[in-house]
């Protein structure tokens, strides 16, 4: 399968560099570019990419608003935010908007490629430089009042898997802890996300923290 990618950044040299890195990969195709958020929304609708690489600060409609609009229109599109800024507010807002990954522009090319492939698989990748910001952003939020929506639909095993996802475990690590095959672990993960109406693993982490199912270690 070829991963179709849209580049959204207001700097033409940045887009040229990203295109060069990505088109060197056999399984990735850059299908279009956008210089602002409004064009990113339009291009996504027209080109139907699998993954959008989205800058945050762009003229007019910024990347956060564009992310929210793209995800609302087509939840299957994955957004990887690529920015020079690592403030907690940007990380938190980008993830809440529906982003499936967050990388700084200083990340090495192989990290960028890894993030796109992870997003395409329905997983998530956060730059190590912003991991602390993510923990601070979500672990410090008081749990929402009332029972977590959808939690009662999970089986005991699926509830266990949700807690493993909140700890950041991969499918292989989930399989090892449950002593099952990786394919079985993947099925459990998919069912958890489906029953809770979550886009991917990173939003399972947000769900768990926001509802007090796990706390900071």
């Amino acid at each position: 399968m070829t991963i179709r990618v849209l580049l959204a950044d207001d700097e033409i040299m940045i887009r040229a560099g990203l295109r060069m890195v990505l088109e060197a990969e056999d399984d990735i195709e850059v299908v279009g570019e956008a210089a602002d958020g409004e064009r990113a929304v339009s291009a996504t609708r027209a080109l139907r990419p699998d993954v959008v690489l989205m800058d945050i600060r762009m003229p007019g409609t910024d990347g956060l608003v564009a992310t929210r609009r793209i995800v609302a229109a087509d939840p299957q599109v994955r957004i990887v935010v690529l920015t020079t800024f690592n403030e907690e507010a940007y990380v938190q807002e980008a993830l809440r908007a529906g982003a499936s990954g967050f990388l700084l522009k200083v990340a090495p090319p192989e990290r960028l490629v890894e993030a796109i492939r992870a997003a395409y698989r329905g997983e998530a990748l956060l730059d190590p430089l912003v991991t602390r910001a993510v923990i601070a952003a979500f672990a410090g939020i008081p749990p929402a009042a009332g029972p977590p929506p959808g939690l009662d639909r999970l089986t005991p095993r699926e509830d266990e898997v949700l807690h493993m996802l909140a700890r950041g475990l991969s499918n292989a690590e989930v399989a090892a802890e449950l002593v099952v095959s990786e394919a079985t672990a993947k099925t459990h993960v998919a069912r958890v996300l489906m029953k809770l109406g979550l886009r991917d693993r990173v939003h399972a982490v947000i769900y768990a923290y926001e509802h007090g199912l796990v706390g900071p270690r």
Side-chain angles (χ1 to χ4, degrees):
M1 295 291 292
T2 299
I3 306 172
R4 295 164 52 81
V5 178
L6 175 72
L7 307 177
D9 195 294
D10 61 326
E11 297 187 36
I12 189 170
M13 291 298 292
I14 295 293
R15 297 200 307 271
L18 293 173
R19 179 182 283 273
M20 182 176 65
V21 169
L22 297 179
E23 291 191 337
E25 303 297 322
D26 293 337
D27 61 338
I28 297 176
E29 176 188 3
V30 177
V31 297
E33 300 182 12
D36 57 53
E38 191 65 39
R39 293 177 187 176
V41 174
S42 299
T44 300
R45 184 167 52 246
L47 300 172
R48 302 184 65 82
D50 300 305
V51 179
V52 178
L53 267 183
M54 183 76 73
D55 189 21
I56 286 184
R57 289 192 174 181
M58 294 185 289
T61 302
D62 67 23
L64 296 174
V65 173
T67 294
R68 195 172 293 111
R69 288 173 58 186
I70 289 171
V71 170
D74 187 353
Q76 298 303 313
V77 177
R78 303 296 173 178
I79 311 290
V80 175
V81 172
L82 189 63
T83 182
T84 57
F85 304 96
N86 66 340
E87 291 92 336
E88 291 177 13
Y90 286 118
V91 178
Q92 184 175 1
E93 193 170 350
L95 294 176
R96 287 188 185 281
S100 296
F102 197 107
L103 288 178
L104 299 184
K105 288 181 178 178
V106 296
E110 59 271 19
R111 191 72 169 170
L112 171 64
V113 172
E114 182 184 355
I116 289 175
R117 289 174 177 152
Y120 180 73
R121 293 192 302 266
E123 301 172 5
L125 187 147
L126 300 176
D127 193 295
L129 294 177
V130 299
T131 300
R132 184 175 300 175
V134 174
I135 294 172
F138 292 103
I141 296 174
L151 191 63
D152 58 347
R153 299 180 60 195
L154 301 184
T155 65
R157 173 52 57 90
E158 290 165 353
D159 183 71
E160 189 178 2
V161 170
L162 173 61
H163 283 75
M164 292 181 187
L165 294 179
R167 288 161 47 202
L169 271 62
S170 66
N171 286 345
E173 291 168 332
V174 170
E177 288 215 6
L178 297 179
V179 195
V180 298
S181 70
E182 191 168 343
T184 298
K186 186 176 181 179
T187 298
H188 285 317
V189 170
R191 287 176 177 168
V192 169
L193 298 180
M194 179 187 67
K195 288 184 177 182
L196 298 180
L198 302 173
R199 283 173 55 76
D200 49 40
R201 289 167 173 271
V202 74
H203 294 97
V205 175
I206 295 171
Y207 174 96
Y209 273 111
E210 286 186 330
H211 295 287
L213 303 181
V214 294
R217 291 173 175 246

